[in-house]
């Protein structure tokens, strides 16, 4: 369609559609008595123009693979998205759901939630996350295009649009992501920045003086400006400029008026996060030339206008794409199969054919090194397993080293080794963006720096995305780098995130089994927690098979009716095993338990859990070189917890293990005290 | 001293000093068999020039109040700092300590640790933290100068210098901090960026293409360039340009060669994080014209040169400053007293005279609102209590509203309300910088966004700084904003940080008592966790005094020998109280415990702890609208934990409390089950 002709012809219906978005947003927030009306009122012309005239989106199938992605990074403006989803015809988003905005079990919750509402591409609300996630989506498109497109078929060529605000611009994660997007020359990425000069505390002058355009040019972006958010012509021109600019991302800066049209609240922070109030809504509607006393009004012609615009255009594009799929499948069956497997989340057949098995070795190897072998064995058979590190891959050992893997860089978008730079937080969100695009992503850094990316890890869990986090250097075992680099509380902090799985394998063969668990996960993120230092590879003829990892905890060895249970995770299992053997030599029966995953263990039935931790055995010792918080659950109020009660220190590992009490002798002594105490209490 | 004359005269001794810094660093890393030689070798001329000719530092008293601050944000280059501290004559940093670099209990640990080594201004290592902390130091100087300087006496006019690297430049926290520093026009702040184009994964081309100079100009900074890190003349010129530039911060970009002089490792990532190796060190020393087989050599004349330079200059400045202090104290005794109190960390006398007391009120008020009153009452009597919010003060209620408080902005540096913008992470580090400068800082955001600033909160704890974090909107009680805004796992994550105190008061009077605890802390950070929703103000004639807060947990009410203990924190205490009354009506004796702080409770002696939680009463119920992890410690393996086991949801608070089981009925039922179960087990 010719835009110029279209817009002049459609002027009044356009305004009607735009004001419908505005009034639906105002009414919904007022009805909920909670929410953010100001941004939707300001940005209605922007979302209208983008969706109606540009966005490749089919309301009939909002998840069509080659759709453009739209991310609302300023998630508090959720009504903007719900309104456009409703008006364009996404079935689930009914007017009734909009009337139930922010009510329990509504499809229109306070902030957009992925998986709940069709058309919501990612959960947003924590500022900056949407921006950074959209970089992951743009990376994904470049990789998918490189991997799947053929001379005769273009499978992927979508764009990623992100709407964001002042808050996004100030958050560090956004800077990280923008810098990487510029570096990678992601020409398929367009951020639209709502510059309304108002934040919660007042005018942005209070805290922001950046020359945003210059800042983004310094990142390597193309920058467009729209002086007035109501100027749909200029918005269209800016988007067209983006579409012409193929080798750098684009930032469109739009000057807008928060709460546009509200006579007393426009351009004030009062329009941001609370209902306008009945009277102000009335006056605003009057300013729009809108019926003042009707709520949730969708005037005649509005639905039809969207149906004839985005509906027809998007539907046609989807049908064209689908119709090509059969031919593509016939010509490239292997690639079509891959696409299908990616869709279901399951790994390709034979993914585990090359998995190594590690022989008994008292010296052993670091679990990060064992994981390197396993990861490469899996990745070589699963083409869509891609990832990288926040500039630590030589240390985290997560590089895909086989020849076909290559590096993902500007111009070599088929590479599978990503270089996130020293940008952990953006890495987390980018992994989310990759997972949302069907790729199985992994990202690595030191466990201590999981702190830098926590908000993104939380979103992986909230969205149930199968992101693989590989966190190495997992304890004071780090040694001489000292307390700033030694995790203490990170493991329990990760365990506390709902719906996230943590795995801390004890030796190389547990690493293999941990990866078996990981590969099969389709709707859950996981943290694989690995050591810097060597861990002995346990003799599995003497101890139980590492297959027990799949149940979260398992008995490695048991000598008769145990007087005491020793529970370890990761590097501390070998320590427990030493203490177990010492007890055995003294004729004391113990049970040796490896517990790589609390979450997996809690999923087992009571009978299994009782078989690993028999309730009547109250003498128990847990050993983990991290915070002791949470271990009472497994050792009881009177159990012994050997762990960290303060920060670490800078010294060689041997000195630290002594200093902080991680010795077989200390475990032995604690076990004996536990046995004595349980006898006393039993007497 | 005239720089030009000085440098030509001292050319050879300068080179000798610089190479001493280099070789000490190489030797120490080699001896430790661990560490980072490359950056110290590259930056030796930079630190030499800055310290010898510019830095206001007296090795005799490295903590002199009006000293310039030097922050090594690239903390892995710690040997650079230890070498200069040693050579300039800081007594504790002996050559023996340098020989024990990275050994246990050395004063020269892997990364610089505040409080351990004189001259180390802040703990660094986690990248970006030093940069952001230095912004806090620069803010502090502006405030101190405004508050304490008088027409007749300048008490504070120091500068803040920060050395940083590519990692710092990529971290989001640095962007946040730089943006705010530009906004605040901190002309006393100078960052020196070591651009060596090498990161751990290889060349910076892998992940960084920013035009750093343009980026910083966009933040409002002055930018200087030094093309060669060995060009001490140009380094001096750049620093002089900073000193001339009074109203914007300065970035000096220095092109350097990591591992300068090492024939095989210069300009490679191999020079970054591991010893050079004996042979490479030999060759490097040969390149420097240095004796090849001598370690830890400090040639004749080096100590004397530093003594005659920085030693004399710094000593004289300190003595001049001190000599003015008596006169200042005589003329401005009130201000001198304040300075003394700030030094000790204790609040002024009478700080608690205006503390409110809240009457019984079944409707009550939100603990954030109660805290607002208390904070203002304290702040009006304690001038150096300053702080702000990451753009949420209208919601967190942390604004200082009394007239004298004002806003801290460029040009009004005496204001006490800081506007951090939507930059939680930088806020955390800036608070650390303020605390390191003697100010008592507070910062606020929603509890959920504590995730965004976790690495800085951890550093507050590691450095034992009395930073006050105020985290509001502390549970699903947030309501309609939904799961992205509802903390679940944040409280336990904070509790898991060693040496950090958390306080979650149950009503307005507990808020008062919590602040009493906070104000008296001198070496510990604290998180004050507050509700969005109203909490009833308990009837303290019926329940025990809120003074029990100081002991972490206390019995609010007890009916005879209790059959069950109900333990709540924050908003859930009222729920427990309801259940307590229901039990009482049914003739069941219970104990009602409020437990605002695990950490304070753990500090009490066993007798007190047993009086609150009598060991023989095994029927126990904990109620907290957060993760249940850790509560087993207080309720036992078989106790009942009412808490969150997944994410929240978007709905009005009442619906959520029902949905997630936070009702008096649920607590009552759990209590009865506990009683029945304990009887069974006792039988």
């Amino acid at each position: 369609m010719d835009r110029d002709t279209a817009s002049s012809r459609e002027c009044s219906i356009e305004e009607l559609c735009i004001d419908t978005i505005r009034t639906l947003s105002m009414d919904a927030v007022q009805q909920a008595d909670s929410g953010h009306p100001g941004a939707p009122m300001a940005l209605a012309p922007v979302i209208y123009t983008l969706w109606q005239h540009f966005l490749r989106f089919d309301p009939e199938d909002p998840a069509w693979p080659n759709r453009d992605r739209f991310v609302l990074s300023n998630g508090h403006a959720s009504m903007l998205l719900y309104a456009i989803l409703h008006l364009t015809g996404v079935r689930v988003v009914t007017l009734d759901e909009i009337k139930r905005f922010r009510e329990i079990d509504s499809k229109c919750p306070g902030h957009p939630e992925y998986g709940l509402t069709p058309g919501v591409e990612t959960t947003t609300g924590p500022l900056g996350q949407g921006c950074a996630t959209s970089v992951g989506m743009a990376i994904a498109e470049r990789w998918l295009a490189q991997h799947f497109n053929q001379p005769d078929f273009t499978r992927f060529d979508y764009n990623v649009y992100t709407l964001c605000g002042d808050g996004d611009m100030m958050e560090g994660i956004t800077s990280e992501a923008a810098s990487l997007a510029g570096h990678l020359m992601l020409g398929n990425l367009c951020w639209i920045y709502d510059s309304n000069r108002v934040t919660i505390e007042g005018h942005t002058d209070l805290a922001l003086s950046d020359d945003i355009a210059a800042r983004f040019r310094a990142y390597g972006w193309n920058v467009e400006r729209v002086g007035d958010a109501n100027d749909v012509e200029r918005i269209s021109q800016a988007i067209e400029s983006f579409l012409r600019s193929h080798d750098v991302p684009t930032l469109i800066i739009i000057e807008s008026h928060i709460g546009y049209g509200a006579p007393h609240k426009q351009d004030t922070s009062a329009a941001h996060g609370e209902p306008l109030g009945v009277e102000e809504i009335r006056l605003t509607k009057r300013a729009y030339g809108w019926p003042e006393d009707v709520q949730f009004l969708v005037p005649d012609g509005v639905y039809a206008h969207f149906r004839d615009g985005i509906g027809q255009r998007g539907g046609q594009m989807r049908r064209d794409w689908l119709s090509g799929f059969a031919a593509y499948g016939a010509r490239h069956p292997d690639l079509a199969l891959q696409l299908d497997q990616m869709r279901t989340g399951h790994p390709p057949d034979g993914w585990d054919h090359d998995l190594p098995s590690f022989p008994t070795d008292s010296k052993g190897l670091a679990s990060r090194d064992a994981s390197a072998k396993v990861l490469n064995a899996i990745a070589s058979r699963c083409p869509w397993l891609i990832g990288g590190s926040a500039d630590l891959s030589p240390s985290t050992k997560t590089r895909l080293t086989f020849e076909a893997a290559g590096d993902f860089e500007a111009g070599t978008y088929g590479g599978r080794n990503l270089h996130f730079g020293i940008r952990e937080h953006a890495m987390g969100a980018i992994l989310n963006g990759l997972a949302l695009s069907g790729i199985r992503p992994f990202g690595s850094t030191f466990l201590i720096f999981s702190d830098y990316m926590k908000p993104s890890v939380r979103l992986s869990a909230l969205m149930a995305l199968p992101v693989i986090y590989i966190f190495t250097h997992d304890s004071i075992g780090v040694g001489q780098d000292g307390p700033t680099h030694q995790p203490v509380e990170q493991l329990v902090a990760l365990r506390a995130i709902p719906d996230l799985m943590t795995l801390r394998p004890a030796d190389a063969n547990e690493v293999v089994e941990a990866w078996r668990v990981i590969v099969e996960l389709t709707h859950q993120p996981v943290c694989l927690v690995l050591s810097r230092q060597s861990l002995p590879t346990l003799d599995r003829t003497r101890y139980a098979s590492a297959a027990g990892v799949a149940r979260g905890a398992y008995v490695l060895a048991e000598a008769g009716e145990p007087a005491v249970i020793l529970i370890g995770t990761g590097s501390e299992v070998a320590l427990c095993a030493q203490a177990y053997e010492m007890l055995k030599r003294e004729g004391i029966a113990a049970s040796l338990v490896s517990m790589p995953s609390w979450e997996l263990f809690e999923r087992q039935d009571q009978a299994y859990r009782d078989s690993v931790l028999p309730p009547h055995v109250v003498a128990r010792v847990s050993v983990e070189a991290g915070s002791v918080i949470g271990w009472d659950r497994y050792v009881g109020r009177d159990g012994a917890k050997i762990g960290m009660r303060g920060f670490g220190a800078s010294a060689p590992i041997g000195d630290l293990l002594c200093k902080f009490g991680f010795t077989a002798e200390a475990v032995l002594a604690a076990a004996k005290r536990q046995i004595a105490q349980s006898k006393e209490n039993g007497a």
Side-chain angles (χ1 to χ4, degrees), chain A:
Chain A
M1 188 195 308
D2 183 321
R3 281 275 316 136
D4 289 337
T5 324
S7 64
S8 51
R9 194 178 63 235
E10 294 166 9
C11 181
S12 69
I13 182 71
E14 283 205 330
E15 281 176 11
L16 207 60
C17 289
I18 290 167
D19 287 341
T20 305
I21 296 170
R22 287 177 166 136
T23 52
L24 283 180
S25 301
M26 290 153 52
D27 287 342
V29 170
Q30 188 66 37
Q31 173 131 331
D33 196 20
S34 160
H36 303 76
M41 291 160 75
L43 298 175
V46 178
I47 202 162
Y48 168 81
T49 307
L50 174 62
W51 282 58
Q52 177 74 345
H53 297 300
F54 295 96
L55 197 78
R56 189 188 294 176
F57 177 84
D58 182 3
E60 296 287 323
D61 183 2
W64 163 51
N66 196 32
R67 71 195 179 278
D68 285 342
R69 268 59 170 181
F70 174 80
V71 173
L72 187 77
S73 193
N74 48 350
H76 54 269
S78 55
M79 264 314 301
L80 188 67
L81 181 52
Y82 302 142
I84 196 87
L85 289 173
H86 169 68
L87 295 174
T88 58
V90 174
R91 283 198 192 85
V92 172
V93 188
T94 63
L95 206 54
D96 279 342
E97 289 294 333
I98 287 179
K99 289 177 183 169
R100 297 190 61 257
F101 178 55
R102 293 184 159 235
E103 294 299 321
I104 198 156
D105 299 327
S106 168
K107 295 291 181 190
C108 301
H111 292 80
E113 294 181 30
Y114 173 74
L116 181 70
T117 318
V120 169
E121 297 282 3
T122 181
T123 298
T124 51
L127 291 172
Q129 298 293 334
C131 285
T133 301
S134 73
V135 173
M137 293 173 174
I139 289 172
E141 188 278 335
R142 293 281 107 145
W143 187 85
L144 292 167
Q146 188 75 26
H147 189 72
F148 288 108
N149 290 356
Q150 296 295 322
D152 50 350
F153 288 105
T154 292
R155 290 292 84 194
F156 295 100
D157 61 353
Y158 58 83
N159 289 310
V160 181
Y161 296 92
T162 306
L163 203 51
C164 55
D166 290 308
D168 293 292
M169 283 297 141
M170 287 193 252
E171 290 286 1
I173 183 175
T174 305
S175 297
E176 293 179 6
S179 170
L180 187 59
H183 171 75
L184 293 173
M185 304 177 76
L186 299 175
N188 56 347
L189 181 65
C190 179
W191 288 1
I192 302 171
Y193 162 43
D194 170 28
S195 173
N196 63 24
R197 302 165 308 284
V198 171
T199 63
I200 291 176
E201 292 189 0
H203 200 279
T204 52
D205 285 356
L206 278 174
L208 181 66
S209 313
D210 291 4
D211 178 339
I212 299 275
R215 200 180 113 193
F216 273 73
R217 284 195 197 99
Y219 298 139
W221 289 50
N222 167 43
V223 177
E224 295 288 324
R225 286 183 182 281
V226 175
D228 174 3
N230 288 315
D231 183 350
V232 296
E233 277 311 302
R234 180 63 202 119
I235 295 169
S236 291
Q237 288 164 8
I239 296 173
E240 279 156 4
S241 158
F242 155 65
L243 291 171
R244 282 191 306 271
S245 140
H246 295 291
D247 53 5
V248 291
T250 293
L251 177 74
I252 302 175
I253 302 176
I254 299 189
E255 305 288 331
S256 83
H257 296 279
I258 193 169
Y260 175 79
H264 305 102
K265 295 197 169 177
Q266 177 181 312
D267 296 322
T268 73
S269 50
H272 169 75
E274 58 193 31
L276 293 177
V278 172
E279 186 52 27
E280 183 79 356
I281 286 180
R282 199 187 303 271
L283 296 173
T284 309
K285 286 182 177 171
R286 187 181 302 171
Y288 296 160
W290 206 257
E292 291 177 31
D293 291 311
V294 190
Q295 277 83 49
F296 301 103
L297 173 67
V298 181
D300 287 348
V302 168
Y303 291 123
H305 179 71
F306 280 111
R307 194 172 53 236
D308 296 345
I310 184 172
Q312 284 216 358
R313 188 171 48 78
Q316 192 57 50
M317 293 185 109
R318 179 173 67 93
R319 285 188 296 276
D320 290 348
W321 189 87
L322 283 176
S323 69
F325 198 78
Y328 179 82
R331 201 85 65 87
H332 309 286
D334 49 336
L335 292 174
L337 177 65
Q338 285 186 21
L339 280 172
D340 197 53
Q341 288 168 326
M342 288 174 70
R343 193 180 47 74
T344 63
H346 291 293
D349 293 342
W351 67 268
D352 58 352
H353 278 190
D354 306 325
L355 284 183
S357 162
F358 294 89
T360 304
D361 180 353
S362 61
K363 187 167 170 293
L365 70 171
S367 51
R368 59 176 169 150
D369 287 312
S371 180
K373 293 191 199 324
V374 182
L375 169 62
N376 271 279
I378 297 169
S380 66
R381 287 178 170 269
C382 181
W384 57 94
L385 179 61
I386 79 174
S389 167
D391 193 46
L392 284 173
S393 69
S395 295
T396 58
K397 309 292 177 85
T398 50
R399 185 167 175 82
L400 303 183
T401 53
F402 51 92
E403 198 173 333
D407 290 298
F408 184 97
E409 283 291 346
T412 61
Y413 292 126
R416 291 169 61 190
N417 285 293
L418 293 164
H419 297 278
F420 295 101
I422 302 157
R423 306 182 183 98
E424 297 83 6
H425 202 172
M427 175 171 75
I430 288 169
L431 295 174
N432 288 338
L434 293 169
L436 287 163
S437 311
I439 285 167
R440 192 76 202 273
F442 65 88
S444 74
T445 183
F446 293 164
L447 178 57
I448 190 75
F449 300 133
S450 62
D451 282 354
Y452 271 74
M453 56 197 297
K454 166 66 165 56
S456 301
V457 178
R458 183 176 212 259
L459 281 175
S460 307
L462 185 54
M463 291 193 274
L465 301 177
V467 173
I468 305 166
Y469 292 99
I470 302 174
F471 294 134
T472 68
H473 295 58
D474 69 347
S475 74
I476 51 165
V478 163
Q480 297 171 295
D481 274 346
T484 57
H485 284 57
Q486 291 163 350
V488 171
E489 73 278 22
Q490 283 61 32
L491 193 50
V492 67
L494 293 169
R495 284 174 178 149
I497 300 176
D499 305 335
L500 176 70
M501 184 182 292
T502 61
L503 279 160
R504 188 172 186 243
D507 76 349
N509 288 307
E510 281 202 6
V511 168
V512 176
E513 297 304 318
W515 271 103
R516 283 189 186 277
V517 171
I518 291 167
V519 169
E520 299 290 352
L521 293 175
T522 55
H523 290 87
Q524 188 173 22
V526 63
C527 298
L528 181 61
V529 176
L530 302 170
S531 74
R532 171 180 189 264
Q533 73 270 30
S534 289
L535 309 179
T537 306
L538 298 177
D539 179 354
R540 295 290 169 170
T541 63
R542 194 182 172 88
Y543 297 114
S545 158
V549 166
R551 309 195 76 171
Y554 64 108
V555 178
L556 271 174
E558 199 165 45
E561 169 67 20
V564 63
I565 306 174
L566 308 178
I567 315 169
T569 83
S571 46
E572 285 68 66
V573 170
L575 206 59
C576 291
Q578 282 179 51
Y580 172 86
E581 301 295 345
M582 290 159 85
L583 285 164
K584 200 169 166 186
R585 281 197 291 277
E586 296 191 30
I588 301 172
S591 171
L592 174 64
V593 171
S594 175
M595 195 171 201
S597 175
W598 287 8
E599 300 82 13
L600 276 171
F601 185 63
E602 292 301 328
R603 277 191 209 163
Q604 309 306 312
D605 61 25
Q606 188 70 44
Y608 179 78
R609 281 184 282 143
D610 286 352
S611 76
V612 176
L613 301 175
H616 64 280
V617 185
V618 297
R620 299 178 178 195
V621 182
S622 69
V623 191
E624 185 172 74
S627 168
V628 297
I629 290 181
W631 276 106
D632 303 87
R633 179 173 181 85
Y634 300 112
V635 301
R637 267 204 285 148
D638 298 319
K641 296 163 290 183
I642 297 178
M644 294 293 292
R645 283 164 165 91
F647 291 106
S650 170
I653 176 172
D655 293 344
L656 292 178
L657 295 180
C658 275
K659 179 184 173 83
F660 293 109
F662 294 93
T663 63
E665 291 69 28
V667 178
L668 179 74
K672 288 183 177 173
R673 278 195 303 272
Q674 278 289 302
I675 293 169
Q677 180 183 303
S678 73
K679 279 185 184 152
E680 253 175 59
N681 293 349

